[in-house]
């Protein structure tokens, strides 16, 4: 637990020497300077895309869901694909903020805030799809169990779709609370930096009168741990319940017990890819390369290798069981997936999700932001296709060959999906302007990690409960000989 | 406790110094009013002699409340208020009630715990409390229930790296 016992092989989490004051300055800087031209360009693009989405949804709601390409055979397609895709994206944020916190992975500190924000925005995008799929979204509140004058007519608590309502709304609420709770000390930092005026008043209200009292910090840490402990099973439950939407039905290709772990792993896989996409841009644009270091990116690619492996195993298991079960319908569905009319979607999925993550076994790829960026996009495409394949190929050739059909999305469906990206990026870009996107307090607490205590304002963490003064060697860790593979790569953050 | 009291504030520039000073003054028998820091310091709870927070019990209680509320609601709607025979399955289809019960357990536990934290630490939007200078940036402040005229404590603080010492009235 204590950092004094840190091996000299550990590398600093903040790759350049910074004082506490400098960290405050740097992290608050993007909020205090005028937005760059690049930001305006990105923001304009995002808002235009969002406007497209708003237009499409308005048209769809005012006309009816007949404007979508769904038919009697394929009742779920683009919308549910996008719903599962966006919920999955959100899962990485909770994984970073809660699960890595429980595992004491200190490298999470500089990416957790942005990843949690990403979770919130992704869940907002996800929630749009089932609501507009209802056809009459103004009656969306009917999914809640409230006493009414229709009987009372209650919701069906035995339906996985209702479980979804509870899972997604709880997930959004708890994620929002967790995120805001983590923000309170930083809001106070911003409050104390602002000289006066409206901004000061706003941050004063938002920071809840935070004084930095250790008595409060002590309780704060307890509550943070509790929230992490609650969010961890919650995030696993959310995608489990999403997978129940499929697994509890009798459709071949859906009715399998591996769906919950398979969906959760897939969600983390795609979510980490999205975090990487966002972080690689953010760190360069905001100049946070020493806070969100190559090492952070590298660690995330390792998570991608693992979850990608789980996803690949699930694909294999599905095929094996389709054969081993002796169920002709199951077998047909899977042969149809791989060699039927949607084979192109299936093989796109396999290429992106099974093959491409293995490039991360190479250190050169893991440490090149450009390569990671491209692969993260590839994985996101692959994971979108995974949901498309699961949903559409299982439905389009059902038990009755006379009802077999094909599905093609309409412009409205594509436009709505593109529009959710607009919403996502609009919110994320605004977030980078108005709030500290890196947890100032948490980064300060790890600024001295694996560093000597010689720097001004930089003390190494003394041992837990130890009264002796710090006797750790003050010099930086000895540089180790550079392995041949990494020699070509310039690593600013660590002596390789 | 009186509505306001006089404390001796000493400023430090690193967590190492403030931790040492806190341990030293407590050993010397002074009452630590509070320590104000820019981030949570590992080991400060022990240095100050703080007991483990009881908020964990709130969390547990709220979780139990969430689970019972969810199960009661589902039982009431499915068995009492409008029983619906679906293929002869039992009205109280308990396994199917687990997901919602789980979600509400988490929801209640999370919301009640945070609410209890805000109440206990008297934090709320519109609070008039203000942080000491630079505490939310890069200063560490040890607040002692001691008097400025006490030369012994001032020497002790100086030896542990206090940059500045001042007397102040604070709300208790």
């Amino acid at each position: 637990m204590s950092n004094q016992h840190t091996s000299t092989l550990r590398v600093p989490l903040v790759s350049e020497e910074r004082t506490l004051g400098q960290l405050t300055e740097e992290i608050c800087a993007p909020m205090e300077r005028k937005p760059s031209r690049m930001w305006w360009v990105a923001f304009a693009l995002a808002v235009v895309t969002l406007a497209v989405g708003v237009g499409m949804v308005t048209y769809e709601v005012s006309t009816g869901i007949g404007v979508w390409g769904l038919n009697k055979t394929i009742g779920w397609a683009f919308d549910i694909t996008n719903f599962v895709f966006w919920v999955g994206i959100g899962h990485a944020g909770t994984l970073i903020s809660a699960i890595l916190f429980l595992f004491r992975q200190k490298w999470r500190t500089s990416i957790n805030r942005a990843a949690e924000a990403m979770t919130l925005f992704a869940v907002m995008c996800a929630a749009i799809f089932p609501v507009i799929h209802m056809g009459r979204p103004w009656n969306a509140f009917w999914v809640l169990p409230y006493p009414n004058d229709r009987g009372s007519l209650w919701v069906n608590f035995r339906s996985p779709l209702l479980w979804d309502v509870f899972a997604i709304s709880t997930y959004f609420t708890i994620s929002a609370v967790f995120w805001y709770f983590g923000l309170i000390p930083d809001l106070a930092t911003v409050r104390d930096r602002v000289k006066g005026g409206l901004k000061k008043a706003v941050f004063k209200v938002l920071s809840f009168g935070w004084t930095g009292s250790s008595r409060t910090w002590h309780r704060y840490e307890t509550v943070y741990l509790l929230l992490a402990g609650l969010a961890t099973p919650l995030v696993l439950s959310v995608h489990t319940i999403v997978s129940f939407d499929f697994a509890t039905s009798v459709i071949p290709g859906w009715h399998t017990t591996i769906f919950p772990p398979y969906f959760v792993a897939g969600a983390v896989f795609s979510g980490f890819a999205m975090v990487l996409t966002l972080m690689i841009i953010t760190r360069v644009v905001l100049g946070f390369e020493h806070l969100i270091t190559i090492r952070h990116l590298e660690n995330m690619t390792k998570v991608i290798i693992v979850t990608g492996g789980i996803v690949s195993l699930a694909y294999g298991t599905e095929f094996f069981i389709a054969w081993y079960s002796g169920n002709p319908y199951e077998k047909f569905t899977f042969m149809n997936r791989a060699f039927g009319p949607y084979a192109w979607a299936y093989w796109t999925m396999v290429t992106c999700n099974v093959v491409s993550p293995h490039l991360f076994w190479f250190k050169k790829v893991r440490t090149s932001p450009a390569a990671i960026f491209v692969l993260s996009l590839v994985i996101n495409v692959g994971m979108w296709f995974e949901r498309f394949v699961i949903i559409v190929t299982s439905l389009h050739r059902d038990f009755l060959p006379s009802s077999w059909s094909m599905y093609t999305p309409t412009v409205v469906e594509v436009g709505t999906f593109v529009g959710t990206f607009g919403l996502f990026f609009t919110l994320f870009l605004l977030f980078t302007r108005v709030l500290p996107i890196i947890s100032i307090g948490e980064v300060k607490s790890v600024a001295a990690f694996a560093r000597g205590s010689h720097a001004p304002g930089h003390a190494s963490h003394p041992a837990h409960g130890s009264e002796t003064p710090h006797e750790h060697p003050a010099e930086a860790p000895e540089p180790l000989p550079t392995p041949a593979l990494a020699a070509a790569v310039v690593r600013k953050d660590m002596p390789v | 406790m009186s509505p306001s009291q006089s404390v001796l504030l000493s400023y430090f520039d690193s967590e190492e110094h403030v931790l040492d000073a806190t341990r030293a003054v407590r050993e010397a028998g002074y009452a630590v009013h509070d320590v104000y820091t820019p981030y949570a310091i590992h080991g400060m709870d022990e240095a100050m002699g703080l007991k483990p927070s009881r908020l964990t019990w709130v969390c547990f209680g709220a979780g139990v409340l969430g689970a019972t509320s969810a199960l009661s609601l589902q039982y009431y709607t499915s068995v009492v208020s409008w029983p619906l025979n679906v293929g002869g399955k039992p009205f109280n289809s308990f396994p199917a009630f687990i997901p919602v019960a789980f979600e509400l357990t988490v929801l209640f536990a999370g919301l009640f715990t945070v609410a209890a934290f805000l109440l206990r630490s008297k934090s709320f939007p519109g609070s008039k409390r203000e942080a000491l200078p630079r505490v939310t940036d890069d200063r560490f402040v040890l607040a002692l229930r001691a008097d400025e005229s006490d030369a012994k404590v001032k020497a002790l603080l100086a030896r542990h790296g206090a940059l500045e010492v001042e007397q102040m009235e604070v709300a208790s």
Side-chain angles (χ1 to χ4, degrees):
Chain A
M1 294 261 284
S2 164
N3 292 327
Q4 193 172 28
H5 306 300
T6 303
S7 154
T8 46
L9 293 174
R10 289 287 173 103
V11 290
L13 290 168
V14 178
S15 67
E16 274 160 45
E17 197 85 58
R18 287 288 186 274
T19 64
L20 300 177
Q22 280 173 326
L23 285 173
T24 316
E25 291 284 338
E26 281 179 348
I27 299 173
C28 292
M31 310 165 52
E32 290 164 0
R33 61 176 176 238
K34 286 239 179 317
S36 64
R37 185 195 289 258
M38 270 301 292
W39 187 89
W40 279 115
V41 171
F43 188 67
L45 252 161
V47 171
V48 168
T49 325
L50 172 60
V52 170
V54 171
M56 290 301 175
V57 172
T58 313
Y59 174 66
E60 184 274 324
V61 170
S62 54
T63 315
I65 54 169
V67 298
W68 285 356
L70 304 176
N71 51 49
K72 280 193 85 168
T73 309
I74 303 154
W76 281 0
F78 225 68
D79 52 338
I80 304 300
T81 301
N82 298 336
F83 164 71
V84 181
F85 172 79
W86 276 120
V87 175
I89 296 284
H91 280 27
T94 319
L95 189 103
I96 290 169
S97 60
I99 300 183
L100 294 187
F101 178 76
L102 293 184
F103 284 138
R104 303 275 180 228
Q105 294 298 305
K106 287 185 187 289
W107 59 271
R108 72 183 259 294
T109 49
S110 54
I111 49 170
N112 69 334
R113 170 76 41 77
E116 283 169 43
M118 183 199 79
T119 295
L120 292 178
F121 305 151
V123 175
M124 286 179 198
C125 293
I128 291 170
F129 290 99
V131 170
I132 53 176
H133 193 167
M134 290 172 183
R136 294 183 177 81
W138 51 93
N139 285 337
F141 65 94
W142 284 5
V143 301
L144 301 172
Y146 64 99
N148 51 62
D149 53 11
R150 298 185 296 275
S152 287
L153 179 63
W154 298 103
V155 292
N156 181 8
F157 282 108
R158 298 178 190 106
S159 163
L161 297 183
L162 184 79
W163 303 345
D164 245 358
V165 171
F166 279 85
I168 301 291
S169 49
T170 300
Y171 184 48
F172 184 78
T173 313
I174 293 293
S175 300
V177 167
F178 197 22
W179 178 70
Y180 193 82
F181 190 71
L183 260 170
I184 293 174
D186 287 0
L187 294 171
T189 301
V190 177
R191 170 198 69 194
D192 294 346
R193 286 176 62 79
V194 180
K195 291 286 172 286
L198 182 66
K199 194 173 171 188
K200 178 116 184 161
V202 168
F203 277 92
K204 214 168 179 169
V205 171
L206 293 179
S207 60
F208 288 11
W210 180 267
T211 59
S213 148
S214 282
R215 291 178 195 278
T216 307
W217 270 122
H218 176 57
R219 291 183 198 111
Y220 178 89
E221 292 271 280
T222 307
V223 174
Y224 199 88
L225 182 65
L226 288 171
L227 285 178
L230 290 169
T232 300
L234 176 65
V235 67
L236 300 182
S237 84
V238 171
H239 232 58
T240 297
I241 291 176
V242 168
S243 80
F244 284 168
D245 293 347
F246 305 98
T248 57
S249 73
V250 293
I251 310 282
W254 287 5
H255 189 60
T256 66
T257 49
I258 64 163
F259 257 35
Y262 165 27
F263 268 52
V264 171
V268 173
F269 182 55
S270 65
F272 266 77
M274 186 58 105
V275 176
L276 281 168
T277 312
L278 286 178
M279 289 297 109
I280 288 171
I281 302 174
T282 310
R283 69 195 283 271
V284 174
V285 173
L286 301 183
F288 285 161
E289 282 107 329
H290 58 294
L291 296 171
I292 303 167
T293 63
I294 295 285
R295 179 180 168 207
H296 289 96
L297 305 182
E298 197 180 343
N299 283 355
M300 286 193 273
T301 62
K302 288 174 185 169
V303 176
I304 285 184
I305 296 177
V306 173
T307 48
I310 299 174
V311 169
S312 308
L313 181 65
Y315 296 163
T317 310
E318 279 187 321
F319 254 90
F320 173 75
I321 293 297
W323 165 73
Y324 190 68
S325 66
N327 179 335
Y329 302 103
E330 194 79 18
K331 199 170 151 190
F332 169 78
T333 298
F334 280 91
M335 293 310 279
N336 183 49
R337 266 188 199 175
F339 306 108
Y342 286 109
W344 61 273
Y346 183 81
W347 294 107
T348 308
M349 167 190 99
V350 170
T351 314
C352 296
N353 294 351
V354 179
V355 182
S356 78
H358 292 291
L359 288 171
F360 285 137
W361 287 105
F362 299 102
K363 193 161 188 121
K364 250 186 188 168
V365 179
R366 284 207 307 274
T367 50
S368 150
I372 301 173
F373 185 74
V374 172
L375 278 174
S376 72
L377 293 178
V378 167
I379 289 168
N380 267 319
V381 170
M383 283 308 292
W384 187 87
F385 270 103
E386 179 197 295
R387 281 66 174 250
F388 182 81
V389 165
I390 291 174
I391 294 169
V392 174
T393 64
S394 299
L395 288 174
H396 87 122
R397 289 190 169 174
D398 62 4
F399 296 103
L400 195 64
S402 64
S403 62
W404 286 7
S405 181
M406 288 295 285
Y407 167 78
T408 325
T410 63
V411 176
V412 180
E413 283 169 294
V414 177
T416 309
F417 181 48
V418 171
T420 52
F421 277 96
L423 175 65
F424 183 76
F425 284 107
T426 305
L427 292 171
F428 195 82
L429 286 164
L430 285 176
F431 165 65
T432 63
R433 291 289 314 153
V434 299
L435 291 170
I437 70 148
I438 290 179
S439 174
I440 307 175
E442 285 191 47
V443 166
K444 280 176 187 166
S445 73
V446 299
F449 184 80
R451 273 188 200 291
S453 56
H454 57 291
H458 256 294
S460 288
H461 297 231
H464 189 76
S466 157
E467 298 289 321
T468 51
H470 200 250
E471 283 169 355
H472 206 56
E475 60 275 358
E478 285 283 312
L480 297 169
T482 309
L485 186 63
V489 187
V490 182
R491 305 280 313 260
K492 275 205 291 189
D493 60 330
M494 59 184 287
V496 183
Chain B
M1 264 193 228
S2 57
S4 100
Q5 57 182 316
S6 177
V7 291
L8 191 65
L9 302 178
S10 42
Y11 289 79
F12 297 84
D13 66 355
S14 81
E15 77 166 71
E16 192 187 25
H17 289 145
V18 78
L19 253 181
D20 282 347
T22 309
R23 291 201 186 99
V25 292
R26 264 195 82 228
E27 237 161 63
Y30 293 94
V32 176
H33 172 73
D34 211 333
V35 183
Y36 299 94
T37 59
Y39 54 89
I41 293 179
H42 192 66
M44 185 53 93
D45 45 349
E46 275 175 47
M48 288 171 73
L50 299 179
K51 290 196 201 76
S53 168
R54 289 166 299 172
L55 287 168
T56 46
W57 292 103
V58 175
C59 186
F60 178 73
V64 171
L65 179 70
T68 30
S69 312
L71 289 174
S72 320
L73 174 70
Q74 295 180 85
Y75 184 85
Y76 170 74
T77 56
S78 311
V79 180
V80 181
S81 175
W82 191 317
L84 201 61
N85 189 335
V86 182
K89 286 173 189 148
F91 294 132
N92 181 20
S93 43
F94 183 74
F97 296 163
I98 297 293
V100 170
F102 175 79
E103 298 302 329
L104 288 189
T105 306
V106 170
L107 184 67
F108 275 52
L111 294 182
F112 275 85
T113 310
V114 171
F117 164 81
L118 295 178
L119 280 176
R120 182 64 189 82
S121 58
K122 301 192 191 85
S123 308
F124 53 92
S127 165
K128 292 269 183 288
R129 276 190 311 200
E130 286 191 18
L132 292 162
R134 287 174 71 181
V135 158
T136 58
D137 185 8
D138 61 351
R139 278 288 175 271
F140 302 78
V141 181
L142 169 58
L144 280 182
R145 299 209 183 100
D147 199 72
E148 202 166 12
S149 55
D150 187 344
K152 220 172 73 192
V153 71
K154 284 183 95 170
L156 190 63
L157 290 168
R159 200 164 65 240
H160 284 94
L163 304 170
E164 201 187 319
V165 176
E166 64 169 338
Q167 194 82 28
M168 203 186 210
E169 291 287 317
V170 293
S172 55

